[in-house]
Amino acid sequence: MHDQHSQTIRTTCPYCGVGCGVLASRDADNTATIQGDPEHPANYGRLCSKGAALGETVDLDGRLLHPVVHGERSDWDTALETVADGLRRIIAEHGPEAVAFYGSGQMLTEDYYVSNKLFKGFIGTPHVDTNSRLCMASAVTGHKRAFGSDTLPGNYADLEEAELLVLAGSNLAWCHPVLYQRVKAAKAENPDMRVVVIDPRRTDTCEIADLHLPLAPGTDVWLWNGLLNHLARDGQVDYVFLEQHTEGFGQAIEMARSGGSVPDVAAQCDLPEGDVVQFFRLFTRTEKTVSLFSQGVNQSSAGTDKVNAIINCHLLTGRIGRPGTGPFSITGQPNAMGGREVGGLANQLAAHMDFAPEDVDRVRRFWDAPNLVTGPGDKAVDLFQAVARGEIKAVWIMSTNPAVSLPDADRVRDALRECELVVVSEAMAHTDTTEVADVLLPALAWGEKDGTVTNSERRISRQRPFLPAPGETRADWQALCAVAGRLGFGDAFAYSGPDQIFDEHVRLSAFENNGRRDFDIGGLAGMARAAYDAMAPRQWPVRADGTDTPRLFADGRYFTESGRARFLPVEPHAPVHRPDPQFPLVLNTGRVRDHWHTMTRTGKAARLSTHAVEPFVQVHPEDARVFGLEQGGLARVGSQWGHFLGRVVLDDGQRRGNVFAPMHWSAQYAVKGRADAVVNPATDPLSGEPEYKHTPVAVAPAHATWHGFMLLRERPAEHPHCAWWAFARGGSFVRYELAGNDDPDALPTVARDLLRNGSDWVEFEDPARGTYRAAWIAEGRLMGCLFMGPLETLPGRHWLASLFDEATLSSADRMALLSGRPPAGAPDVGRTVCSCFGIGENTIVDTIAGGAIEPAAVTAACQAGGNCGSCVPEIQNLILRHAPAANRRTA
Ligand code: SF4
């Protein structure tokens, strides 16, 4: 919908699976004005810090604006011909299975549909997979085992309506912040609502937890089997539902019983027995229960079993298909669900059809496909291992960065370097994956794309363009269709726009469906372009009668052969790789609050680059003591697959023996910060999802003789050459965190190499303390500063950063500059906590000291937490740490 008066476009956020509606308009300065869409049913006007900062990510800095072939600027004809020639040759010499496609939950459904059709139906390779494999493939497999279909039964309103919300393996506060805000508001409205968080880490989500179960990693099946056993013993069984609508209970309960009684379960999970009892009692007595699960459940070598262990408990109690009940898989990406709809996973065919002969026949007839595959292909980890073995010789990668995000990422990058033909469709010129590509195809970015996405509650929303396509960029579907034409398949790919592709996708979903498949959006068939453009969010299935479906399974009918939901007997087993004396700790990887995936977009936004500025590793203080780590020091995290460096952050919310690291940093943002280089490539045998949450590692101090940082008004042509650097954007400057192993006497020499413009700098060196400081002022403005020395000598960065906003430095600021500290009387706001308003930790602590002892009072006094609310849990933690005990209030 295009508002003629304000030029405001209704579109959808490109980040997480909540799928928030956004009102966007283009500004003159290459930014955009962004607001939450008050009419979108996912967010009703709310946005989190990432969504609110979208306007800072739409400039053309760093964009890939023209095709590149073998490192040289090219044109579309040449690039497309190179791709088509390469595919043709490799298929002729090695067969179609030597070709692969790797997509992403960032792709629009229309692009996804065309890629799946081209590769599986016409090129004839089954090796089509997506980075959604990395986040929710276990949920897909668990759903299909239990329901006979990949069906998410409920919707977001069920989370608000529940009286018990179990959050399993989900840091909802950081990873799905708007949904977290909805839950938090619902809990405030309903004092009877209880929240249980099951997570080895105490995360910000625990702010709303009535009970936190920090179970030993990988023991979820023991816990849920124990609950199933408890529910059966306690008589909390919906016998009518069990009898009429399920099958397989006998084997499931027999397996669950073998896990023993509550004390056995508590011992296996390393939880206090009383807490396990409390959880079981809460679940037993609360009819309206939703169990939401995410990557902490899915990303495991037993992810599918964990999913089914959760579903089993809902089947036994009949808590599914009714308001305020159900298992609920929340997807990581904005269009993970859309990818599942089109068949973007290697073990799906299309439109929620798999490889049963009748499905293959149906899709072949619908597409009139000459080379339709008849069985599943390699899943993501296997796919890149096949590239490494030379079996797959050509891979087209779209909208994703596997050289950073796959487990054992160094091997993936090496494999791509050796691959005969790597085609990458990307919006950004420089990513770790574009650096190993043979052909780069410039893609549209968010704000320019035109199509649909489906969020975690099955809601299809339009992503509409509000910016013109820059340079020579094209829609991904156009690039795919152009290659299809060159391969001789043009007639089947002669789309005039995304509306035509969507209509074909709609018709395939309804083709010979007759209620046998859950995914049916036939009620949307035949939309003209104007109707497609104006389409409001729709929740599938949307069958021929044209109505949305907020909830499935209310009738107790499932998509299994018998029509009954299946219990699965799930046997607990330990993660594939266990800690040992060489690698005694367990690495858990995940996300931070303000960054998204490999930072290609969020890394552009200054306000998203202040909360976490460099790769880090969170360690329990006791483990830090054992392994000689200190707060703020550098650590080397190593496994048998690789290593990365990160800043040590002590956190008593970590379980002993476990460490956490973010997955976001690539070689574009830090010299050795790629956490997935360390992650083991073990996968779930059913879903193929990698075990990102459990890699045995060793963590040791990384030797550095000096630490430092450098703030520069202009981004240098090259990153610095030193043992450690991490890059972040500020508003009027760029920031490097640095460390090195040089002799302290050599700091001036090292500094000159870092500065590359030594003559204009004023310097201060203190050999006795091993410090070196320099600043460059031109025409009264601060152009740069560099501080080096022992960790404890380094000043905070925030005051210095604020000087880049000054048109002319005051004489007091000049005097204070090389001290790194504000002149007497000027406050140092400290590390940024509230990204929306740029409020620092010191300001918040001062506000607390001034008597603000509730988050709302802090907001009223200094604004922090007053916009998206993503930082409110952190404010709450600061209150707990800094408010006088007698005055504390909990949120
Ligand atoms: Fe975007 Fe945040 Fe909404 Fe997720 S919760 S869709 S990141 S605004």
Side-chain angles (χ1 to χ4, degrees):
M1 181 187 302
H2 193 164
D3 183 326
Q4 295 293 332
H5 301 292
S6 64
Q7 299 292 302
T8 297
I9 298 293
R10 278 211 150 88
T11 183
T12 315
C13 175
Y15 295 123
C16 82
V18 179
C20 295
V22 169
L23 298 177
S25 58
R26 180 186 183 191
D27 295 336
D29 61 350
N30 275 339
T31 61
T33 299
I34 301 293
Q35 290 175 288
D37 181 353
E39 293 178 25
H40 197 287
N43 57 320
Y44 297 110
R46 295 177 179 92
L47 289 177
C48 74
S49 53
K50 294 185 284 290
L54 273 166
E56 291 180 29
T57 68
V58 297
D59 62 41
L60 299 184
D61 182 31
R63 284 290 298 273
L64 175 66
L65 294 174
H66 50 74
V68 175
V69 176
H70 300 307
E72 301 292 328
R73 177 171 181 160
S74 185
D75 56 72
W76 272 100
D77 270 346
T78 307
L80 292 169
E81 208 50 52
T82 306
V83 175
D85 273 355
L87 293 177
R88 218 181 279 118
R89 179 182 56 75
I90 287 168
I91 292 167
E93 289 175 12
H94 305 283
E97 297 208 7
V99 167
F101 179 84
Y102 187 66
S104 154
Q106 300 277 304
M107 291 167 63
L108 301 184
T109 297
E110 290 74 3
D111 300 324
Y112 241 140
Y113 178 88
V114 172
S115 64
N116 192 54
K117 177 179 173 181
L118 173 61
F119 280 82
K120 284 187 189 154
F122 289 75
I123 288 176
T125 176
H127 305 312
V128 175
D129 210 41
T130 153
N131 69 3
S132 296
R133 174 75 56 197
L134 314 179
C135 86
M136 53 72 212
S138 296
V140 173
T141 313
H143 286 161
K144 286 162 89 165
R145 288 207 300 183
F147 309 142
S149 58
D150 175 21
T151 309
L152 186 287
N155 58 59
Y156 295 159
D158 287 328
L159 274 60
E160 296 166 313
E161 210 168 319
E163 296 196 328
L164 171 62
L165 178 61
V166 184
L167 300 172
S170 161
N171 184 5
L172 203 69
W174 280 17
C175 300
H176 301 94
V178 165
L179 202 50
Y180 175 79
Q181 296 295 339
R182 285 181 62 169
V183 168
K184 188 174 163 182
K187 192 167 191 286
E189 284 283 304
N190 177 8
D192 293 333
M193 184 178 183
R194 295 288 177 266
V195 174
V196 176
V197 173
I198 302 172
D199 191 326
R201 281 197 305 155
R202 190 178 68 237
T203 65
D204 274 14
T205 301
C206 292
E207 179 209 12
I208 58 165
D210 298 283
L211 176 64
H212 172 215
L213 299 177
L215 79 179
T219 59
D220 312 57
V221 171
W222 270 282
L223 184 69
W224 290 93
N225 270 0
L227 175 60
L228 191 76
N229 194 14
H230 178 83
L231 292 166
R233 290 232 297 253
D234 209 61
Q236 196 55 48
V237 177
D238 184 334
Y239 289 103
V240 174
F241 182 83
L242 188 71
E243 181 67 28
Q244 295 182 356
H245 301 301
T246 70
E247 62 191 16
F249 173 65
Q251 285 176 299
I253 192 64
E254 196 178 322
M255 181 65 76
R257 281 192 190 120
S258 69
S261 58
V262 170
D264 301 319
V265 171
Q268 280 292 350
C269 300
D270 191 24
L271 290 169
E273 190 179 324
D275 287 355
V276 174
V277 169
Q278 191 184 348
F279 169 49
F280 286 3
R281 282 191 185 143
L282 273 174
F283 199 103
T284 302
R285 71 172 186 233
T286 313
E287 180 59 25
K288 285 190 168 182
T289 296
V290 171
S291 302
L292 178 145
F293 57 95
S294 188
Q295 272 84 332
V297 166
N298 295 330
Q299 290 179 334
S300 161
S301 58
T304 305
D305 281 351
K306 291 177 183 177
V307 170
N308 286 109
I310 294 170
I311 294 174
N312 281 349
C313 294
H314 281 267
L315 294 181
L316 185 63
T317 50
R319 292 174 190 161
I320 187 168
R322 290 182 286 117
T325 70
F328 198 106
S329 154
I330 182 99
T331 59
Q333 297 198 75
N335 201 29
M337 188 73 89
R340 288 143 78 171
E341 292 165 9
V342 303
L345 292 162
N347 49 331
Q348 303 173 326
L349 183 51
H352 281 211
M353 287 179 272
D354 295 332
F355 294 97
E358 60 272 21
D359 286 347
V360 172
D361 176 61
R362 185 179 300 115
V363 175
R364 178 187 289 119
R365 284 185 285 115
F366 184 86
W367 280 345
D368 194 15
N371 300 311
L372 193 71
V373 296
T374 56
D378 285 343
K379 304 179 179 87
V381 171
D382 296 337
L383 188 154
F384 285 97
Q385 288 177 348
V387 172
R389 290 193 301 271
E391 292 163 17
I392 289 176
K393 297 175 186 301
V395 58
W396 188 339
I397 296 164
M398 192 168 277
S399 305
T400 186
N401 198 358
V404 181
S405 58
L406 261 286
D408 199 7
D410 286 349
R411 297 296 92 63
V412 172
R413 192 169 56 182
D414 293 346
L416 288 171
R417 276 202 188 103
E418 297 300 316
C419 186
E420 278 186 47
L421 177 62
V422 177
V423 182
V424 177
S425 294
E426 244 299 347
M428 300 303 293
H430 299 290
T431 74
D432 292 16
T433 302
T434 64
E435 290 192 349
V436 292
D438 298 293
V439 180
L440 294 178
L441 301 176
L444 300 176
W446 182 80
E448 301 145 14
K449 287 186 172 193
D450 191 3
T452 57
V453 291
T454 307
N455 73 2
S456 294
E457 58 169 355
R458 294 174 280 104
R459 199 179 295 279
I460 301 169
S461 296
R462 286 281 277 113
Q463 220 180 74
R464 298 181 175 92
F466 64 96
L467 299 169
E472 298 171 30
T473 56
R474 290 185 188 174
D476 289 330
W477 66 265
Q478 289 175 312
L480 288 157
C481 290
V483 169
R486 282 168 166 77
L487 294 176
F489 307 127
D491 290 350
F493 293 87
Y495 305 109
S496 63
D499 53 320
Q500 280 195 357
I501 302 167
F502 185 75
D503 190 58
E504 186 177 307
H505 168 57
V506 166
R507 288 186 293 105
L508 177 57
S509 78
F511 185 56
E512 298 175 359
N513 188 320
N514 303 318
R516 283 198 292 268
R517 305 192 300 274
D518 64 338
F519 181 66
D520 180 351
I521 52 174
L524 302 176
M527 274 192 290
R529 175 79 209 201
Y532 174 76
D533 283 344
M535 186 172 75
R538 305 298 300 268
Q539 209 166 14
W540 66 255
V542 184
R543 298 191 191 278
D545 65 4
T547 56
D548 288 18
T549 310
R551 195 172 293 105
L552 287 104
F553 305 145
D555 59 1
R557 291 218 312 274
Y558 295 83
F559 293 94
T560 55
E561 274 184 24
S562 64
R564 293 165 175 265
R566 287 188 209 112
F567 283 92
L568 270 296
V570 282
E571 183 176 10
H573 67 76
V576 172
H577 300 284
R578 309 300 308 281
D580 60 27
Q582 192 182 357
F583 300 109
L585 297 166
V586 171
L587 172 69
N588 170 10
T589 60
R591 299 180 184 173
V592 300
R593 191 188 78 192
D594 287 353
H595 277 308
W596 174 257
H597 277 202
T598 58
M599 294 166 57
T600 52
R601 188 160 37 216
T602 51
K604 298 181 82 173
R607 71 167 132 157
L608 297 180
S609 303
T610 54
H611 186 246
V613 293
E614 59 186 333
F616 62 86
V617 54
Q618 272 177 343
V619 187
H620 190 281
E622 283 301 307
D623 285 333
R625 195 180 52 74
V626 171
F627 293 99
L629 305 164
E630 60 175 355
Q631 171 75 23
L634 274 181
R636 182 188 191 277
V637 182
S639 72
Q640 61 172 288
W641 295 275
H643 76 274
F644 74 91
L645 299 181
R647 194 69 67 179
V648 175
V649 175
L650 301 189
D651 183 348
D652 62 9
Q654 284 293 322
R655 270 185 69 88
R656 290 288 315 272
N658 289 236
V659 298
F660 172 84
M663 52 78 71
H664 305 289
W665 272 267
S666 66
Q668 315 303 314
Y669 282 90
V671 68
K672 287 172 188 158
R674 296 160 67 248
D676 284 326
V678 171
V679 170
N680 77 88
T683 58
D684 179 295
L686 300 169
S687 71
E689 183 151 353
E691 187 139 72
Y692 283 105
K693 303 293 186 189
H694 198 284
T695 299
V697 294
V699 185
H703 183 64
T705 54
W706 62 270
H707 295 260
F709 65 90
M710 181 163 65
L711 309 179
L712 300 170
R713 188 170 290 279
E714 305 286 341
R715 180 180 178 161
E718 279 180 51
H719 291 305
H721 302 286
C722 55
W724 170 253
W725 60 260
F727 170 79
R729 284 185 179 79
S732 318
F733 64 95
V734 296
R735 169 175 174 175
Y736 284 98
E737 293 295 319
L738 306 165
N741 289 313
D742 315 276
D743 187 327
D745 291 342
L747 287 189
T749 311
V750 176
R752 262 164 225 127
D753 187 43
L754 290 168
L755 301 172
R756 302 213 183 100
N757 186 8
S759 57
D760 295 333
W761 295 73
V762 289
E763 302 170 279
F764 173 74
E765 189 190 356
D766 183 349
R769 298 180 74 205
T771 65
Y772 175 90
R773 299 176 173 194
W776 172 25
I777 299 169
E779 296 175 1
R781 295 198 309 163
L782 179 61
M783 303 302 288
C785 58
L786 169 67
F787 287 73
M788 305 164 79
L791 206 51
E792 64 278 4
T793 66
L794 297 175
R797 290 38 163 181
H798 292 82
W799 174 68
L800 289 164
S802 72
L803 298 181
F804 286 87
D805 293 329
E806 304 296 328
T808 308
L809 290 182
S810 69
S811 56
D813 286 343
R814 279 174 180 252
M815 297 277 287
L817 189 55
L818 288 187
S819 77
R821 295 192 164 77
D828 179 0
V829 300
R831 182 184 66 89
T832 300
V833 173
C834 172
S835 302
C836 295
F837 294 118
I839 312 293
E841 182 172 329
N842 293 348
T843 304
I844 295 171
V845 170
D846 289 347
T847 307
I848 295 166
I853 53 172
E854 295 178 65
V858 172
T859 302
C862 72
Q863 288 189 295
N867 185 35
C868 74
S870 299
C871 62
V872 171
E874 205 165 333
I875 294 171
Q876 177 65 30
N877 280 333
L878 290 172
I879 291 171
L880 287 172
R881 287 209 329 255
H882 296 283
N887 292 335
R888 269 176 215 147
R889 305 274 190 281
T890 52

